[in-house]
Amino acid sequence: MELKTAYDIEHMGSTRTIQHEFWPLSPIDSKKAKFPCCLVWTPLPVVSWLAPFIGHTGICREDGTVLDFSGSNFVNVDNFAFGSAARYLQLDREQVHSSYEMALFCTHEHCVV
């Protein structure tokens, strides 16, 4: 069995290009609280009045469903804990997906002996 050096694995991972075709996302609909591939933020009552940069953050799936962590081992699905989203940031799926794929590839290559 031949082992590869870490440099070879890193070099292979950085030169490999990943190409995916993504299906189109539905448009952002703030009235229905659907934010596909977004990070959403809402202010916390009283706390955000004193420190406006503090708030509650949620992650959205590709179908626009908001997931937020509100308590120990509890995830709200499509029910944002502190009201509706005040701000959102849509993520670029190509950058997120390629980084995730690259991390999986590098991890797999390092774990195989």
Side-chain angles (χ1 to χ4, degrees):
M1 182 186 319
E2 184 179 320
L3 296 176
K4 294 182 181 181
T5 63
Y7 172 77
D8 291 340
I9 292 170
E10 290 175 6
H11 182 66
M12 267 183 8
S14 64
T15 57
R16 190 177 115 192
T17 57
I18 300 172
Q19 296 177 351
H20 295 281
E21 291 185 23
F22 296 104
W23 56 87
L25 293 175
S26 56
I28 293 172
D29 187 2
S30 58
K31 291 180 182 174
K32 293 183 181 177
K34 296 294 180 187
F35 303 93
C37 290
C38 289
L39 297 175
V40 291
W41 181 88
T42 191
L44 295 172
V46 181
V47 176
S48 294
W49 300 340
L50 302 171
F53 52 87
I54 296 176
H56 186 69
T57 306
I59 307 167
C60 299
R61 297 189 301 208
E62 287 185 339
D63 63 351
T65 304
V66 179
L67 305 171
D68 72 309
F69 307 99
S70 55
S72 180
N73 299 325
F74 185 73
V75 178
N76 276 335
V77 178
D78 235 2
N79 185 16
F80 210 32
F82 294 96
S84 60
R87 296 181 187 267
Y88 63 88
L89 173 69
Q90 193 162 31
L91 303 174
D92 182 10
R93 293 189 295 171
E94 289 182 15
Q95 289 181 351
V96 173
H97 196 297
S98 65
S99 299
Y100 177 72
E101 287 287 327
M102 194 61 67
L104 284 178
F105 173 75
C106 290
T107 303
H108 175 72
E109 289 296 322
H110 282 291
C111 292
V112 176
V113 178

